[in-house]
Amino acid sequence: MGYSVIICDDSRLARNFLARSLPSGFAEQQHFAASGREALALIAEGKGDLLFLDLNMPDLDGYQVLAQLRAQSSRCQVVVISGDVQPKAREKVLALGALSFLQKPLNRDDLLAELVALGLCSESLSEAPPSPQESIAGTDRMEVLREVANVAMGRAAGLMAGIFNVFVQIPVPRIQAMTASELCALIDQWQSRPGHQVISQGFVGAGICGEVLMELSSEEAHRIAALMSLSSRQPEERALMTELSSILIGACLKGIASQLELEFSQGHPIILDRTDQRVLAELGDKAVLCIRFGYQIPDEEVHQELVLLVTPDSLPALERRLTQLVN
């Protein structure tokens, strides 16, 4: 007799991949939830005794779902599957009652081995063929890109956590098209804040190029430097900002490049002055694809945003990479 399974992830791509990774016969019933609230509603209806749970979701994240299940003394068992690879993330979900923590991108062999190790699946059943594959023909490429960005930010957070020895919160990345005038307004907004600078760093690789913009205040730069034990060097502030931004932007780009199986060459980060229009000069009236990342270190009052811009001419190459990833 199989489980009544709930797969909760805001990415349809991730939900479908997990569904077809489970062996035939494992799930007697299978339900899907695109948010933590939907998952809790299904559990309240008695529709799930095993929940596969993403962490980084809008509305209600995985930590909040686990906390509510614990408060309700729910008997639903939970396996967390997340791109957030921070050791502290794993510690937090296990402390909240999760059975296990698996990293995205999910590997089917690792999933089945973990289910067997947890006693949720027999060796013989794990050798059964995958469940019938759901169609992903209609999966929007922007949805795929959002999942890539989500996993990339999780990896970047893991890297930052290792460097800074802190827990990094990562809101869900946002993808949108922005015009040059909208980007100008955003840069002006950042630069108008006292003590804040905007750093830009270009990247190129496999026909895809663009810029990453990052807002950083001098106070936050010194807090981050202290976490890295750089304060004793008393570096010049502009040099400190470009050094830190290179680390943070590099972590983000590396997370994306590794999933798309390419390498980005990165330019030297520069601090934009109030009249510098270099980033926007080639855009004209075209809209540009923007991926907006955030990361927060609440204990240090650090709240940063990165905006990754992909040039319009790069979109065909990006589309091909995303198609290869889905297939």
Side-chain angles (χ1 to χ4, degrees), residues 112-171:
L112 297 180
E114 186 68 5
L115 294 178
V116 170
L118 292 170
L120 298 174
C121 179
S122 66
E123 290 274 5
S124 58
L125 182 58
S126 71
E127 296 172 358
S131 298
Q133 182 173 331
E134 295 187 8
S135 172
I136 55 174
T139 302
D140 183 84
R141 290 294 174 267
M142 290 303 100
E143 187 176 346
V144 181
L145 182 59
R146 188 176 297 107
E147 180 64 5
V148 168
N150 199 24
V151 172
M153 199 60 222
R155 291 181 178 179
L159 178 62
M160 294 176 202
I163 295 173
F164 306 147
N165 192 29
V166 293
F167 179 70
V168 181
Q169 291 184 353
I170 46 174

Side-chain angles (χ1 to χ4, degrees), residues 6-13 15 31-42 51-62 65 143 172:
I6 300 173
I7 298 175
C8 178
D9 197 306
D10 59 324
S11 165
R12 184 173 51 157
L13 179 71
R15 294 197 302 270
H31 309 280
F32 296 96
S35 71
R37 290 193 191 282
E38 290 183 16
L40 289 174
L42 289 169
L51 169 64
F52 292 102
L53 178 67
D54 186 24
L55 285 182
N56 196 19
M57 296 182 291
D59 187 15
L60 200 66
D61 66 27
V65 172
E143 187 176 346
V172 178

